[in-house]
Amino acid sequence: MEADKIKDSIKRAAQDLFRKFGYHKTSVNEIAKRAKIAKATIYKYFDSKEHVLHTLLMDYIRVSVDDLILSNTPEMDEEAHLGNLIMKTCRLSYTVCNEFIGWDFIRESANSQDFLKNLSNELEDLLMASFSRITAIRKTDNYQQRMRFLIKCSKSIVFSFAFTSVSDSDVRKNFVSFQKEILPYLVKAAITI
């Protein structure tokens, strides 16, 4: 039980520091100091600072995806329902990058591209599992493939404008544009048989 407390302490300290300073500007020494443990103790539970970040993000994403799925309005038609889930997921992805990692690290670090790709793939798998639970009526392979296509397209578009935007205001404009001008067509293509 003590191990769980130590691990939670490391994650809480890292989360606070990542949010305050960004991933790139936070050192393992600072995490250890904030958690009130030795630096070597962090490596007993996590292989690297990146592993701490990955664990934090997956915990945050799992809870957030479950909340998204459970909080969605069941009275919506399928198109509105999927569009709503995709937008919430896109905002979640952006929040993860903005609050935990920091855009400077993402744009400048060679490692960040692989890290984001792996994280994105895990998010995609988590969403597919969630979509499967809520769309039990249509569990054909073809429908699953179309949902995966919808998720892949959406995340690619959102990451591309997040990487190229200069300011938060640009990001908001791009989200609005995506929601109004692109997403309805992606959703319609994904659910049309």
Side-chain angles (χ1 to χ4, degrees):
M1 211 34 118
E2 182 68 25
D4 290 338
K5 287 182 183 178
I6 294 169
K7 205 170 182 178
D8 286 342
S9 174
I10 293 167
K11 290 192 304 187
R12 275 192 313 277
Q15 182 174 350
D16 291 345
L17 292 167
F18 292 159
R19 279 189 165 156
K20 187 172 183 178
F21 303 110
Y23 172 81
H24 193 57
K25 294 180 181 174
T26 300
S27 70
V28 174
N29 285 335
E30 291 166 330
I31 296 169
K33 185 177 176 183
R34 173 76 60 99
K36 297 179 180 163
I37 58 170
K39 180 179 173 181
T41 304
I42 291 176
Y43 292 112
K44 181 178 177 181
Y45 297 97
F46 299 95
D47 296 335
S48 63
K49 181 174 80 165
E50 186 175 293
H51 185 227
V52 175
L53 175 65
H54 183 266
T55 302
L56 274 173
L57 294 179
M58 288 312 297
D59 289 351
Y60 178 78
I61 288 170
R62 271 188 204 93
V63 169
S64 298
V65 166
D66 287 345
D67 288 348
L68 292 178
I69 300 299
L70 296 174
S71 71
N72 227 343
T73 311
E75 302 88 42
M76 291 181 176
D77 65 30
E78 187 176 20
E79 273 184 56
H81 181 72
L82 286 173
N84 192 22
L85 281 175
I86 292 296
M87 277 311 294
K88 287 180 178 180
T89 302
C90 291
R91 286 189 182 103
L92 170 65
S93 300
Y94 180 78
T95 300
V96 162
C97 292
N98 197 38
E99 288 189 22
F100 288 95
I101 304 172
W103 291 108
D104 292 341
F105 171 70
I106 291 170
R107 290 183 181 116
E108 295 170 9
S109 174
N111 294 339
S112 70
Q113 300 302 315
D114 288 336
F115 179 79
L116 283 176
K117 183 178 180 194
N118 291 335
L119 183 67
S120 179
N121 290 339
E122 288 187 47
L123 176 58
E124 184 179 314
D125 291 340
L126 191 58
L127 284 170
M128 283 304 299
S130 297
F131 281 164
S132 295
R133 287 196 312 263
I134 62 166
T135 57
I137 303 166
R138 302 172 119 194
K139 284 205 173 186
T140 66
D141 285 342
N142 187 301
Y143 188 75
Q144 295 290 329
Q145 289 171 345
R146 288 184 282 139
M147 289 302 105
R148 192 167 292 275
F149 169 79
L150 174 61
I151 293 167
K152 280 184 183 293
C153 287
S154 299
K155 74 178 184 179
S156 294
I157 292 166
V158 167
F159 274 121
S160 71
F161 69 65
F163 277 110
T164 58
S165 295
V166 177
S167 68
D168 286 340
S169 135
D170 289 340
V171 171
R172 281 190 289 282
K173 287 177 193 171
N174 287 329
F175 265 112
V176 169
S177 175
F178 172 71
Q179 185 175 19
K180 290 182 179 178
E181 299 169 15
I182 300 170
L183 185 59
Y185 296 105
L186 288 175
V187 170
K188 190 171 280 300
I191 65 171
T192 303
I193 296 176

